[in-house]
Amino acid sequence: MTEFLIANMAPVMFGALVVFLLSGFPVAFSLAANGLFFGLVGIELGLLKPELLQALPNRIFGIMSNDTLLAIPFFTFMGLILERSGMAEDLLDTIGQLFGPLRGGVAYAVIFVGALLAATTGVVAASVISMGLISLPVMLRYGYDKKIATGVIAASGTLAQIIPPSLVLIVMADQLGRSVGDMYQAAFGPGLMLTAMYAGYVLIISIVKPKWVPALPVEARNLRQPDGKSGVLSLFVLIIGAAVACFVIEEILLASNPKLHADEGIIYAATLSIAGAFLVAYVNRKMKLGLLSRIAEQVVFVLVPPLALIFLVLGTIFVGIATPTEGGGMGAFGALVLALMNRRLSWDLLKQAMNSTSRLSCFVMFILIGSSVFGLIFRGVNGDLWVEHLLTSLPGGTAGFLIVVNILFFGLAFFLDFFELAFILVPLVGPVAEKMGIDLIWFGVLLSVNMQTSFMHPPFGFALFYLRSVAPKEVKTSDIYWGSVPFVVIQVIMVTLIIAFPKLISVDKKTDMHEKIELQIDMGEGQEYGSRGGMDLNFSGGDSKPEETTEEAPALNFSEPDKK
């Protein structure tokens, strides 16, 4: 038995962790207890030295001093404030009126608003609960099929998992040692594609089963013109004008500043053109010019505040003005301003938001500490080498590795949520992916799209539980479960497309997270080395090469391998 344990400590340790998790014991304590228990067993068997456990305090201190993880409470607080600020109600009502004449119009509105809330809140629970409370009764009242209505709401809420500022992308970037900003940029394309695929599914349903997704009746469209017209033409003209202004401003900015990147120019130009559209609508309303229809005015006044918040958070990150942590802080402040403008800000609201933020932040920190304890011991018994050998020996090379890893994540998502998957499995498969030549930003976004299904899996999907908690009694739990199945299939198709067409995720702009430190050490008078009184000591991470030296100015280079 002793020889068996010595030879198979890593797989036994991993198997024991699975048993702990399936037993229902809290994840954070399962990880920490498993690590400490097998650490003591390893010391007793002579596999580990007792000094290894002395590294635990430093690892925990490193977690607590990680500035990147500060973005999690900021974005959580921002999402919880926005959930109660009235923004979701206004968005769903206005966009529902805009798409109302179309079959499936309210479903389109839910998908569009879900994507917009995802880009402002980053919290799945906030999006699902808000849209469930507001749009589900409306959809049921006007004859929507229960499965379609619940499936659209649950799926649209999970877009907060992949569209920045997603919390899982922050954790993924931290675990893979990559820039959060680069991870955000890479995830935007797949997030928008997934939104379009959801809308495409509703379009197919509206053609095949039109009775399942009826249009809003005329009496329900209360933003029509006095003469009965919809007023959409006015909105269309305003959108075309804003698009033309955006193009012209971008060309002017790029011509006047050649060093400006094209994507940064688009962000600045879009911000100015949207501000111009808001100014036109404001002047039109105050001076009663009658240039814009009621629906056009309402769309502008409802859409511009969340778009401004998106620029405040994501725009400043993408153009390099703010770090993700600073962007989260500005987003939290912006959410408070929006709640104040809508007269929803109160002490009770602040207390609830801060309590929920504290609970989630502590949950994440404890899981991260537990995974750090487990990871230290697991690597100490060569568990990383066992995982690497297991995954690299799979048939099919890189494609086989990606398929098996995604099947593993998909299967475990039935039982674990995305935080647990990110902290337990990503540190194990990430180094293997890098050794196989896979870009870790691309890999992180791929796994994030996959882990999005963890919110939609019947019977344990959290989005389904959130929706069940606010759905009326006539909606059965089976309706919610069956309604989610087509959208889980769509998410799986998206994962397949990313593997088949890797360029769907753009990873052109990558930030090196490894720092280069140069130290000047004064040798003092009379202790000159060569012709100068100092030496250049260069500490660089990664695959850096020693610089050429001369007798006059020797340079010492200490290179360390990449730390994961």
Side-chain angles (χ1 to χ4, degrees):
M1 185 65 179
T2 302
E3 294 179 357
F4 175 80
L5 277 177
I6 293 175
N8 300 279
M9 179 65 81
V12 170
M13 184 176 178
F14 189 79
L17 175 63
V18 174
V19 172
F20 263 113
L21 295 176
L22 294 180
S23 68
F25 201 69
V27 176
F29 302 121
S30 297
L31 288 164
N34 200 327
L36 290 175
F37 174 76
F38 280 95
L40 296 175
V41 172
I43 292 172
E44 185 67 25
L45 296 177
L47 288 174
L48 303 173
K49 293 183 178 180
E51 292 79 8
L52 179 67
L53 297 180
Q54 293 179 355
L56 283 178
N58 285 334
R59 291 172 70 92
I60 295 174
F61 180 77
I63 293 170
M64 304 310 295
S65 60
N66 189 340
D67 292 340
T68 303
L69 296 176
L70 273 176
I72 292 177
F74 281 139
F75 285 127
T76 304
F77 181 79
M78 179 181 74
L80 294 170
I81 291 293
L82 288 176
E83 179 192 351
R84 299 166 175 84
S85 68
M87 185 182 73
E89 291 93 326
D90 294 339
L91 281 170
L92 283 167
D93 181 59
T94 303
I95 305 302
Q97 293 286 327
L98 180 62
F99 289 106
L102 302 175
R103 286 198 188 104
V106 181
Y108 291 128
V110 168
I111 293 171
F112 179 80
V113 172
L116 203 57
L117 289 177
T120 51
T121 64
V123 181
V124 174
S127 298
V128 173
I129 291 173
S130 297
M131 292 190 294
L133 286 170
I134 302 161
S135 61
L136 185 56
V138 175
M139 298 170 82
L140 296 178
R141 185 186 313 140
Y142 294 115
Y144 271 70
D145 181 78
K146 294 176 183 177
K147 297 182 181 66
I148 296 295
T150 55
V152 165
I153 292 172
S156 301
T158 60
L159 289 172
Q161 175 96 343
I162 187 64
I163 295 180
S166 164
L167 298 183
V168 70
L169 292 175
I170 298 173
V171 175
M172 193 68 68
D174 178 71
Q175 293 298 298
L176 293 174
R178 291 298 181 266
S179 164
V180 176
D182 291 343
M183 196 74 76
Y184 277 0
Q185 280 188 302
F188 234 110
L192 295 180
M193 283 186 61
L194 204 54
T195 305
M197 291 171 72
Y198 290 166
Y201 172 70
V202 173
L203 177 62
I204 293 173
I205 292 297
S206 66
I207 297 172
V208 178
K209 296 284 187 180
K211 292 184 179 180
W212 287 7
V213 285
L216 281 180
V218 177
E219 60 271 15
R221 305 173 204 164
N222 52 26
L223 287 179
R224 300 172 66 85
Q225 294 295 93
D227 58 2
K229 294 182 179 180
S230 64
V232 175
L233 180 61
S234 173
L235 177 62
F236 181 74
V237 171
L238 182 64
I239 293 173
I240 294 297
V244 172
C246 179
F247 176 77
V248 173
I249 294 171
E250 182 193 4
E251 292 297 318
I252 294 174
L253 288 174
L254 294 177
S256 60
N257 189 1
K259 295 183 178 180
L260 190 69
H261 291 287
D263 54 350
E264 295 176 359
I266 292 175
I267 292 174
Y268 287 126
T271 302
L272 292 174
S273 61
I274 292 172
F278 183 80
L279 182 62
V280 169
Y282 181 78
V283 172
N284 180 75
R285 173 173 289 187
K286 287 298 181 182
M287 301 185 68
K288 299 181 180 179
L289 300 177
L291 298 175
L292 299 177
S293 62
R294 292 180 62 193
I295 188 70
E297 266 191 11
Q298 186 69 10
V299 167
V300 171
F301 283 119
V302 167
L303 276 183
V304 168
L307 289 176
L309 190 62
I310 290 172
F311 172 77
L312 186 66
V313 177
L314 300 179
T316 53
I317 294 173
F318 289 165
V319 301
I321 296 175
T323 65
T325 301
E326 294 166 345
M330 290 190 294
F333 176 76
L336 290 173
V337 172
L338 285 181
L340 185 62
M341 290 171 59
N342 290 334
R343 299 179 181 179
R344 299 288 184 94
L345 190 62
S346 64
W347 285 114
D348 288 338
L349 171 59
L350 285 174
K351 186 185 298 183
Q352 292 174 12
M354 286 189 287
N355 285 340
S356 299
T357 301
S358 299
R359 282 197 299 268
L360 180 63
S361 300
C362 291
F363 168 74
V364 172
M365 287 297 110
F366 269 95
I367 291 182
L368 186 51
I369 290 172
S371 67
S372 180
V373 176
F374 176 82
L376 176 65
I377 306 301
F378 193 68
R379 283 175 171 78
V381 297
N382 294 325
D384 53 338
L385 299 179
W386 172 69
V387 172
E388 180 182 341
H389 176 73
L390 192 67
L391 295 177
T392 54
S393 61
L394 294 170
T398 302
F401 166 78
L402 291 173
I403 292 171
V404 170
V405 166
N406 278 279
I407 291 175
L408 176 65
F409 272 77
F410 183 82
L412 289 177
F414 278 93
F415 312 102
L416 304 175
D417 68 12
F418 69 94
F419 277 130
E420 295 159 359
L421 289 171
F423 287 136
I424 297 172
L425 290 185
V426 171
L428 299 179
V429 300
V432 181
E434 188 172 29
K435 287 188 177 181
M436 298 184 73
I438 299 173
D439 186 277
L440 290 188
I441 293 177
W442 182 91
F443 187 64
V445 175
L446 171 66
L447 293 184
S448 298
V449 176
N450 191 332
M451 288 193 290
Q452 188 180 356
T453 61
S454 67
F455 279 94
M456 295 286 290
H457 277 319
F460 302 114
F462 284 98
L464 309 182
F465 292 155
Y466 298 146
L467 186 56
R468 174 69 276 176
S469 67
V470 297
K473 293 182 179 179
E474 62 264 26
V475 177
K476 298 178 181 178
T477 303
S478 59
D479 294 330
I480 299 175
Y481 285 173
W482 282 111
S484 68
V485 171
F487 293 95
V488 173
V489 174
I490 291 174
Q491 292 169 348
V492 173
I493 292 173
M494 187 67 203
V495 171
T496 306
L497 288 175
I498 293 174
I499 295 176
F501 305 100
K503 291 187 178 180
L504 289 176
I505 298 177
S506 174
V507 291
D508 294 334
K509 291 177 65 179
K510 297 192 288 290
T511 302
D512 186 7
M513 296 284 285
H514 301 288
E515 296 181 352
K516 185 176 182 180
I517 307 171
E518 293 189 357
L519 301 180
Q520 293 288 339
I521 300 180
D522 188 5
M523 300 294 292
E525 295 184 5
Q527 299 182 25
E528 294 187 357
Y529 192 94
S531 61
R532 296 190 305 177
M535 295 187 296
D536 289 337
L537 304 185
N538 181 274
F539 299 80
S540 58
D543 301 327
S544 56
K545 297 179 179 179
E547 299 177 1
E548 294 183 1
T549 60
T550 63
E551 292 183 359
E552 293 185 351
L556 303 183
N557 179 279
F558 300 85
S559 296
E560 298 177 356
D562 287 342
K563 298 178 180 178
K564 298 298 174 192

